[in-house]
Amino acid sequence: MKKEKINEMNLCFPAKSRNEGFARQAVCAFLAQLDPTVEELADLRTALSEAVTNCVVHAYKDDGRGKIYISVSLYSDRTVRMTVKDKGCGMEEPEKCMEPLYTTDKSGERGGMGFAIMRCFSDDMKVKTAVGKGTTVTLCKKLSA
């Protein structure tokens, strides 16, 4: 059986840390139609939270001027595809940025685990980035039957 897109949504909001909770709640409300388990919902919330935080902290350097774009697609085989995109600074060394414990944060507040967490809580993660143009993170997870 070929998987078919059954629903989708798009969000766009200012890259401010106070909007991270909004993003989680909006996406979780949308996902409710698939009746995910509590664990699946927690996994997706955590992965999404990390992606949004990366946009705020790294792509836009906490200045709140940029936008974060989220799209969520639901498929007939119960796959969830979440895309989080920014038009910020992009990554010069994406492979290095994805290494656990690597961070560009000089304040010592960040642990460098964002991508590792996203990867851990999703079945598939893809990252596209271009310096000066931004980054797109796509996370996929297949929910239980």
Side-chain angles (χ1 to χ4, degrees):
M1 178 172 119
K2 183 180 177 188
K3 75 178 177 181
E4 165 189 346
K5 189 184 292 186
I6 58 173
N7 207 352
E8 65 184 332
M9 70 165 245
N10 295 292
L11 293 173
C12 175
F13 51 90
K16 296 182 180 189
S17 60
R18 66 176 168 250
N19 288 332
E20 182 187 326
F22 160 73
R24 282 194 315 263
Q25 294 302 328
V27 170
C28 285
F30 182 72
L31 295 174
Q33 64 194 285
L34 288 182
D35 195 23
T37 67
V38 172
E39 185 177 286
E40 290 168 335
L41 201 54
D43 289 354
L44 290 165
R45 283 173 55 104
T46 302
L48 177 73
S49 224
E50 290 297 328
V52 170
T53 298
N54 274 1
C55 294
V56 172
V57 172
H58 298 292
Y60 297 120
K61 311 292 187 217
D62 276 326
D63 74 4
R65 294 184 192 179
K67 300 271 189 218
I68 298 173
Y69 306 86
I70 298 176
S71 65
V72 183
S73 298
L74 309 178
Y75 294 89
S76 58
D77 70 346
R78 298 184 51 77
T79 297
V80 175
R81 181 176 183 258
M82 300 187 301
T83 302
V84 180
K85 178 180 178 178
D86 65 66
K87 295 181 180 178
C89 63
M91 292 182 271
E92 289 183 27
E93 300 178 282
E95 299 81 19
K96 191 168 191 166
C97 292
M98 287 186 241
E99 291 175 11
L101 304 177
Y102 175 81
T103 183
T104 58
D105 178 48
K106 305 298 183 216
S107 73
E109 287 185 37
R110 307 288 172 205
M113 293 300 291
F115 284 116
I117 290 169
M118 285 182 249
R119 185 173 282 125
C120 179
F121 289 110
S122 60
D123 296 331
D124 186 46
M125 179 181 84
K126 291 187 175 34
V127 178
K128 284 178 42 179
T129 189
V131 174
K133 295 186 179 183
T135 300
T136 301
V137 176
T138 302
L139 305 163
C140 293
K141 184 169 184 77
K142 186 166 181 180
L143 304 180
S144 58

